[in-house]
Amino acid sequence: MRAYAAKHARSATWRVRASETPAGKRAALIVLAIGMTLAGAGAAGLVLARHPVAARWDAVIPLPAPTGRIDPARPSQPGAVPQPVSLIIPSLGVQTSLIHLGLTASGDLQVPTSTRVAGWYTGSARPGAIGPAVIAGHIDSRSGPGVFFHLDQLRRGDRVYIRRADGTLVVFRVTTVQMYAKDGFPTLAVYGPVPDPELRLVTCGGTFDPDAHSYLSNTVVYAVETS
Amino acid sequence: MGIPSVIRWAIVLMALPTLLFGLAGVASASSASPGTGWVRLAHLSPNTPAVDVYLYSFGDPSAELVLHHVGYGAVSPYQPVNAGDYTVAMRAAGAGATTKPVLSATLAVVAGHAYTVAGLGPESGLRLQVLDDQLTTPPDEALVRVVQASLRQHIVTVTYGGNSVVSDLAFASVSSYKAVHPATAALHIAGPNETVSSTISLAAGTVHTVVVLDAANGLSVDNILDAQGSAVMPAGGAATGLGGTAPHAPSPLPWLLLIGAGSLAVAAGSLRLRRLGRKRA
């Protein structure tokens, strides 16, 4: 009985081994192949999917051009030009009131506390007076688009309207849109003297540095008054 | 063995777009409105009737700018124009656009520079003069210059707040720029037997042209603001973004898990194969 059992056990072992060896090798090879495929796919995915992805935000909904008296007069005395109260960019669907911006204690440009409105730097020209009028607005908040989110989509020839305290409009024509690294910001080109009424729209752009909580670049739109 | 090198390559490839984007950001930092300058036109000849003034881009027969019926004392606003060569033609008011001009002049517009093309002198000796206009001032100062366009008083002396701007400036000539401290003060113009005074404000960072003109009963003054910038310029750029819409890099975790699982499978498979091989031997 014991011998029988031992004989059968041996033969069973042999039977198992005889049938197991090629199948086991096949299984091991399959596992190896699957493993290599997975690792390869993972590596490829790691390499190919490194491009930062932007969330999709609402597309531009254009606005009609504002109506009102366009003031063609170009008074040479700055005091004669009323203060700006709102900004309209029909091609970007932007319509915002304008708050007043000064300088921070460290001499930087103040920015609006709300990301939904733009602000006019009171140390710059009044829109329509000789000199560059500088208006700044946020590209985004912590969670979504700001008032100047689409600013870099402005193109040469696009119109920008400013409504002033007396209800008149002044119209600007975009001449160029530029992006600058913040550490190479062209202060003179943006704020420096010009002999005609001009407009600068400033927002952020480029790469966001999450450590500094700041974009590394500024987008600047240059525009000149047009009738 | 293969996996660390894959990761090494992955890191290199991950860094590439960042490098490229960084470079692009630096490369786009160029000047403001590249290739644009400014031109304005003026009629400052006391006894010359009104004129039509044309500005042509050199070689282009259609005028870039036409000012009709420009009378004595008129100074146009500055017009932004592309840098390049231009011709200014003056015709009698109402004369056809293709008639021979009374006067013409050429000017080369350099990007970022401003020019005044002025008809100066008496009608008998009318000339078109191109003035190079300055746009920037010394820090915390204003610039002022005088154009003497009065025939009533052939020579004038100009003071601002008691300080001399120019002495004995002859008819049809233009003074150089004088830097003055910003103030609201009396601008005093004295000819041999007529004077005129006007209180004007000259702010820091502004450039002014003062034109001395003949009026019906004496001299008059036109104080023109030529150029102005922000008196106080903010330091650097603007902090106008909080990052909520900035593109975020996707998490590498799923891919790393996949690589990990694959590696385990490879290891298990290799181990099994080796064991089987040993058993057969």
Side-chain angles (χ1 to χ4, degrees):
Chain A
M1 183 68 193
R2 197 180 292 161
Y4 176 86
K7 184 187 164 197
H8 270 83
R10 203 182 304 131
S11 75
T13 311
W14 272 110
R15 211 183 304 125
V16 166
R17 229 172 243 176
S19 67
E20 187 188 65
T21 307
K25 192 176 179 186
R26 204 179 309 130
L29 282 171
I30 287 172
V31 167
L32 193 68
I34 288 174
M36 289 174 91
T37 310
L38 286 182
L46 195 66
V47 172
L48 295 177
R50 287 309 300 168
H51 291 291
V53 284
R56 287 178 195 280
W57 304 102
D58 293 343
V60 167
I61 302 164
L63 283 171
T67 53
R69 192 166 68 85
I70 292 169
D71 199 345
R74 292 181 174 184
S76 62
Q77 290 306 314
V81 178
Q83 296 211 348
V85 293
S86 65
L87 164 78
I88 306 106
I89 312 174
S91 63
L92 299 187
V94 169
Q95 183 158 24
T96 169
S97 58
L98 288 172
I99 63 162
H100 286 189
L101 302 175
L103 296 176
T104 65
S106 56
D108 295 325
L109 180 67
Q110 271 184 348
V111 295
T113 45
S114 163
T115 59
R116 309 298 312 166
V117 300
W120 166 66
Y121 172 47
T122 55
S124 69
R126 292 181 178 188
I130 288 169
V134 181
I135 288 174
H138 282 87
I139 187 173
D140 59 14
S141 64
R142 268 178 233 289
S143 57
V147 63
F148 279 174
F149 182 62
H150 293 295
L151 199 66
D152 65 348
Q153 291 181 24
L154 276 175
R155 294 292 171 261
R156 186 184 177 89
D158 284 348
R159 295 296 197 266
V160 177
Y161 297 78
I162 306 279
R163 198 179 289 282
R164 300 186 285 202
D166 65 350
T168 59
L169 289 168
V170 53
V171 192
F172 294 89
R173 174 173 53 84
V174 173
T175 56
T176 178
V177 181
Q178 299 277 344
M179 187 156 84
Y180 306 101
K182 277 185 183 169
D183 54 14
F185 191 81
T187 299
L188 260 183
V190 175
Y191 296 99
V194 290
D196 57 343
E198 300 201 2
L199 182 69
R200 312 279 187 254
L201 304 176
V202 182
T203 192
C204 279
T207 309
F208 185 76
D209 179 351
D211 300 326
H213 304 292
S214 163
Y215 281 91
L216 297 182
S217 303
N218 275 128
T219 297
V220 180
V221 173
Y222 295 82
V224 296
E225 195 190 351
T226 188
S227 46
Chain B
M1 177 195 91
I3 288 153
S5 85
V6 160
I7 287 173
R8 205 156 47 222
W9 274 106
I11 289 169
V12 169
L13 286 170
M14 270 152 53
L16 247 168
T18 320
L19 282 173
L20 289 176
F21 272 100
L23 286 177
V26 173
S28 70
S30 60
S31 69
S33 302
T36 306
W38 296 271
V39 175
R40 70 177 169 186
L41 307 167
H43 178 335
L44 301 173
S45 169
N47 56 353
T48 301
V51 292
D52 292 342
V53 191
Y54 295 73
L55 178 71
Y56 300 95
S57 181
F58 199 75
D60 184 353
S62 59
E64 186 125 337
L65 173 68
V66 188
L67 298 176
H68 291 287
H69 215 86
V70 180
Y72 168 61
V75 179
S76 81
Y78 281 99
Q79 175 87 4
V81 295
N82 291 328
D85 292 328
Y86 289 83
T87 304
V88 174
M90 234 179 209
R91 298 186 171 90
T98 53
T99 58
K100 191 176 183 304
V102 179
L103 270 181
S104 65
T106 59
L107 81 151
V109 173
V110 176
H113 288 247
Y115 306 86
T116 302
V117 183
L120 285 171
E123 186 179 17
S124 55
L126 182 66
R127 65 179 199 276
L128 272 173
Q129 188 168 338
V130 178
L131 308 176
D132 281 347
D133 300 340
Q134 204 161 320
L135 299 178
T136 53
T137 66
D140 304 323
E141 291 193 297
L143 284 183
V144 61
R145 72 174 166 185
V146 181
V147 178
Q148 213 299 55
S150 164
L151 261 177
R152 295 175 70 103
Q153 301 290 300
H154 279 251
I155 287 180
V156 297
T157 289
V158 181
T159 60
Y160 179 65
N163 300 314
S164 170
V165 175
V166 62
S167 297
D168 299 331
L169 186 66
F171 171 62
S173 55
V174 181
S175 80
S176 53
Y177 286 97
K178 169 96 175 172
V180 298
H181 291 299
T184 298
L187 182 80
H188 188 72
I189 290 150
N193 41 42
E194 283 179 15
T195 64
V196 64
S197 234
S198 164
T199 299
I200 64 169
S201 293
L202 300 179
T206 63
V207 180
H208 292 249
T209 294
V210 165
V211 186
V212 183
L213 295 166
D214 283 342
N217 309 307
L219 296 176
S220 77
V221 185
D222 191 10
N223 166 32
I224 302 165
L225 174 64
D226 290 350
Q228 175 170 246
S230 299
V232 181
M233 298 191 198
T240 41
L242 301 174
T245 65
H248 294 286
S251 167
L253 198 63
W255 302 114
L256 291 175
L257 283 176
L258 206 57
I259 292 174
S263 309
L264 278 177
V266 167
S270 321
L271 215 66
R272 184 77 185 137
L273 273 182
R274 196 181 300 168
R275 196 174 294 159
L276 284 174
R278 208 182 293 142
K279 270 176 189 160
R280 193 177 297 169

